[in-house]
């Protein structure tokens, strides 16, 4: 039986064995029916009550790890830690996992949190992703490194932001309307310094000649929104900002030019660009990177309503 506490140890099968939190990974690996070949990256083995009271998963980073180039090594660490997390999260009792992140703290943190992620809205058990929840979703497993480091903390921010993008893109269209999207963004950025969130409605848009965007909004009853995230992290707040633009069609039926029914539900993902740029901005703002940034995302549904734009229509400005 697994305990509530576990340990993940990535190991290089061709390097001398070193003890990690009381564990010798090569010694443990020698106890498995592994044969003569070095285990490939992501090959795992789990041991119970090792050390006493804990479950330990060792995971290979592949043969000859030390000789690999930097980015290749980083990806191998991600693969190794990710595979170990996927194995451990199958054990219901595991609640706390300590990760030996010494090979690459950033990569280990990213891998652990990305591998843990699993989106679900099933109702037999209350879903942590239900947008009606009063509190944000809590991770099934809490991770910590054997040794604390700024790079581990930075990797956690990277992964959490990527997971936000995944969540926004997974929500069905009735849960992530343009209004709901902007409300979620406001909540995510609460309390972060140097950030301004601006949400504009359709009344703003005619004066900015966004007629093509407005034409898409005609077929839906959901109010369109134009979201701006302004982050000023540079020493010179007036310096030219980096600009991110993300497409935010929260459901794209095709309008009058209706898309085929097969796979239509996947058109909720047409706001993936908006989800990506918002989540990247969240990571930048949390890390307080020394840049200025402006993010813009037009948000609407594309539906075949009675006022929908017809193919061949001209987008005419409502102002002279």
């Amino acid at each position: 039986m697994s305990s509530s506490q576990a340990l993940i140890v990535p190991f290089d099968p061709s390097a001398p064995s070193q003890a990690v939190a009381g564990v010798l990974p090569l010694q443990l690996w020698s106890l498995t029916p592994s044969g003569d070949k070095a285990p490939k990256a992501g090959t795992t083995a789990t041991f119970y009550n090792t050390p006493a009271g804990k479950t330990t998963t060792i995971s290979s980073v592949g043969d000859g790890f030390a000789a690999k180039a930097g980015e290749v090594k980083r990806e191998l660490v991600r693969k190794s830690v990710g595979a170990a997390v996927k194995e451990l999260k199958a054990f219901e009792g595991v609640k706390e996992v300590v990760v030996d992140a010494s090979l690459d703290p950033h990569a280990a943190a990213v891998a652990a949190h990305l591998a843990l992620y699993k989106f679900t809205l099933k109702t037999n058990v209350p879903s942590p992703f239900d947008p009606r929840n009063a509190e944000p979703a809590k991770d099934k497993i809490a991770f910590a490194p054997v040794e604390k480091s700024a790079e581990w903390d930075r990797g956690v921010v990277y992964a959490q932001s990527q997971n936000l993008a995944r969540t926004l893109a997974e929500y069905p269209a009735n849960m992530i309307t343009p209004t709901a999207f902007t409300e979620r963004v406001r909540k995510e950025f609460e309390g972060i310094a140097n950030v301004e969130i601006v949400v504009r409605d359709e009344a703003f848009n005619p004066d900015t000649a966004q007629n093509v965007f407005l034409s898409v909004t005609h077929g839906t009853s959901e109010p369109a929104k134009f979201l701006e995230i302004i982050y000023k992290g540079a020493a010179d707040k007036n310096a030219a900002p980096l600009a991110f633009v993300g497409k935010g069609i929260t459901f794209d039926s095709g309008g009058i030019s209706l898309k085929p029914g097969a796979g239509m539900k996947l058109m909720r993902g047409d706001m993936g660009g908006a989800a990506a740029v918002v989540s990247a901005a969240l990571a930048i703002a949390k890390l307080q990177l020394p840049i200025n940034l402006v993010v813009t995302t037009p948000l609407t549904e594309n539906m075949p309503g009675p006022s929908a734009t017809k193919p061949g229509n001209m987008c005419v400005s409502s102002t002279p």
Side-chain angles (χ1 to χ4, degrees):
M1 181 180 291
S2 62
S3 81
S4 63
Q5 295 182 320
L7 175 66
I8 289 175
V9 182
F11 73 99
D12 180 351
S14 57
S17 183
Q18 295 180 342
V20 178
V23 169
L24 286 165
L26 287 183
Q27 188 178 84
L28 289 178
W29 185 255
S30 70
L31 302 176
T32 67
S34 52
D36 296 329
K37 290 185 178 180
K40 294 180 180 179
T43 305
T44 62
T46 297
F47 301 83
Y48 304 110
N49 204 35
T50 306
K54 291 185 179 180
T55 299
T56 291
T57 297
I58 59 173
S59 185
S60 174
V61 293
D63 196 25
F65 174 81
K68 299 285 197 302
E71 277 305 311
V72 175
K73 289 168 108 175
R74 175 160 280 193
E75 183 56 33
L76 290 170
V77 171
R78 282 194 286 258
K79 187 172 184 177
S80 173
V81 173
V85 170
K86 288 178 181 178
E87 180 156 326
L88 281 174
K89 73 179 183 180
F91 302 134
E92 195 62 37
V94 174
K95 302 298 180 186
E96 299 174 5
V97 174
V98 175
V99 181
D100 172 26
S102 57
L103 293 177
D104 189 322
H106 185 283
V110 169
H113 289 85
L114 292 184
L116 180 62
Y117 180 90
K118 183 180 180 181
F119 183 87
T120 179
L121 286 171
K122 290 182 179 178
T123 55
N124 56 336
V125 176
S127 169
F129 294 96
D130 189 331
R132 297 168 297 183
N133 291 343
E135 297 295 326
K138 290 185 178 179
D139 289 335
K140 178 182 175 182
I141 295 173
F143 294 106
V146 171
E147 292 186 11
K148 293 181 180 180
S149 72
E151 276 302 293
W152 170 276
D153 295 340
R154 189 180 181 92
V156 171
V157 172
Y158 272 51
Q160 288 175 341
S161 298
Q162 289 178 63
N163 285 339
L164 172 63
R166 297 163 86 181
T167 298
L168 292 172
E170 284 286 1
Y171 275 133
N174 63 320
M175 288 186 173
I176 201 67
T177 63
T179 299
F181 188 101
T182 58
E183 289 173 350
R184 177 64 181 265
V185 169
R186 283 191 186 279
K187 192 170 183 179
E188 292 291 338
F189 280 84
E190 268 180 8
I192 301 177
N194 301 316
V195 173
E196 180 185 3
I197 306 292
V198 180
V199 179
R200 307 184 191 275
D201 57 23
E202 294 174 38
F204 155 81
N205 291 318
D207 296 329
T208 56
Q210 297 184 65
N211 301 305
V212 174
F213 169 54
L214 286 174
S215 76
V216 180
T217 73
H218 291 166
T220 178
S221 60
E222 286 289 344
K225 301 291 180 182
F226 194 91
L227 171 68
E228 294 179 63
I229 303 171
I230 302 160
Y231 167 71
K232 294 187 176 182
D236 181 359
K237 304 302 181 187
N238 295 315
L242 179 66
F244 290 166
V245 181
K247 180 182 178 183
I249 308 299
T250 56
F251 190 79
D252 188 4
S253 70
I256 287 180
S257 302
L258 199 65
K259 296 177 184 286
M264 173 76 83
K265 68 178 182 178
L266 298 178
M267 288 298 98
R268 70 186 189 275
D270 215 32
M271 41 62 70
V277 296
V278 162
S279 300
L282 181 62
I284 289 168
K286 281 186 172 181
L287 295 170
Q288 291 291 293
L289 298 187
I291 63 169
N292 294 336
L293 172 71
V294 174
V295 176
T296 55
T297 63
L299 296 153
T300 187
E301 294 180 339
N302 184 19
M303 299 293 286
S307 300
T309 300
K310 303 170 186 67
N313 276 13
M314 236 182 124
C315 295
V316 181
S317 175
S318 60
T319 57

